[in-house]
Amino acid sequence: MAEQQLGVLKALDVAKTQLYHFTAIVIAGMGFFTDAYDLFCVSLVTKLLGRLYYFNPLSEKPGSLPPHVAAAVNGVALCGTLAGQLFFGWLGDKLGRKKVYGITLIMMIVCSVASGLSFGDKAKGVMTTLCFFRFWLGFGIGGDYPLSATIMSEYANKKTRGAFIAAVFAMQGVGILAGGFVALAVSSIFDRKFPAPTYAVNRALSTPPQADYIWRIIVMFGALPAALTYYWRMKMPETARYTALVAKNIKQATQDMSKVLQVELEMEERAEDIVQDPRLNYGLFSKEFAKRHGLPLLGCTSTWFLLDIAFYSQNLFQKDIFSAIGWIPKAATMNGIHEVFMIARAQTLIALCSTVPGYWFTVAFIDIIGRFAIQLMGFFMMTVFMFAIAFPYDHWIKPDNRIGFVVMYSLTFFFANFGPNATTFIVPAEIFPARLRSTCHGISAATGKAGAIVGAFGFLYAAQPQDKTKTDAGYPPGIGVKNSLIMLGVINFVGMLFTFLVPEPKGKSLEELSGETEVEK
């Protein structure tokens, strides 16, 4: 058995880091920036939607979204994302990365704008339109996951491939920050232009009618960065690995990469044999695939699933934490616009302190210590911090211990991003064969989103107090926050065990990892 790699792919593997690598990071990264912005910005405006559309003049508290509406607004985009990851992942292997990449971007632009427009001004009409377009927005975002990762891994050289894919993923952090900054800017302008009394002073006037524009502007702004990169996305040539190994057009791949790398590449003679080898054409559901890639695929899907349960359940504790440390005052002491400002400020501070640095630590260290070590360490530290918050939970919620609580909470999410949140995105784009790469990444990502749905909703119900009188309006009693945190710690520990199924791709070529270079002499 001889290892043979196409010359054009070898040229990509040993290419020096140059401008086109950074162009690819920016183009793929802007898609991810938009994904994060669109998925996370809705959490900044849900309180405002409640005040606007579910206002009850007799209530002592401002209006809030009923549980089923809140679940729909937050969850429908996650469901769309899951479906999009599977569908566009498969399509990216059938039609090519570039074609499908354009389709997902147009979907994201159109649905971002549309989710800010609504039929009618009654709660039902507004929420239905918002949910409908957020589902399709999620569907487009779903396609961006497998395609961004696959395109970046297929363009990168083998020495710094991990850092490049991680940099694309790190744009998620920048997107979350941008959501916070846009909300801060829009709410401050409106707060200055349309001053309003607090809810406690005057219930009816505390949310001026102009506040309806705030959430629409914030939601629609997500279309802008996506629209700006459309032209560049369409100018990118198809990746050489897709053209050569899947479309089997080695001549075209060699021409494309000669332009990109700005060097003359020769087409080698036995190239056709490498690509045409019948034993390398097994399908996703074949015995050969199960034998070669079954366990790694199980490793990728299970770790992403378990991580996202923990990662998306963080929202449960955010409101408790923000209220506990006094970052967000009681709702009745603010007007509707000011509340948006305070929520955005709190989320932006958390993102700046813990979320964003974690992503860039991964970029810096992934090609030095490897994916496996980062993922193992991340899951381990998350387990430790979850337990450290959970067991003495009653101690942490006392006013004197607030700072310690925030530090522990921030460190948990620092190690999620300098850990499995980044590596589960990177590895599936490296270890599978080119003709199934996008599909397998889509399957892994969709399993992750299933975990996100469990984390965001399962734990929303689970974290309710066991005492019936203390639950949030409309929710049945649960197991309480402390027990929920203990469960999340156990989930992170199981994630650590499943990490042992995932191979280490550091420093190897994609063809070596997927076994596509094995040809009989």
Side-chain angles (χ1 to χ4, degrees), residues 13 30 33 43 50 53 76 131 185 188 313 413 431 469-470 487 512 518:
D13 271 344
M30 276 325 255
F33 171 94
S43 64
Y53 294 106
V76 57
C131 290
S188 346
S313 64
F413 292 100
I431 58 175
T469 55
K470 292 182 182 164
M487 267 177 78
E512 193 185 334
E518 298 164 6

Side-chain angles (χ1 to χ4, degrees), residues 88-119:
F88 286 119
W90 167 79
L91 206 60
D93 283 333
K94 285 282 168 282
L95 301 181
R97 328 293 190 217
K98 180 185 166 173
K99 266 190 194 133
V100 182
Y101 214 27
I103 302 170
T104 60
L105 198 66
I106 290 172
M107 263 192 102
M108 280 154 56
I109 296 168
V110 172
C111 295
S112 271
V113 174
S115 51
L117 308 168
S118 47
F119 298 128

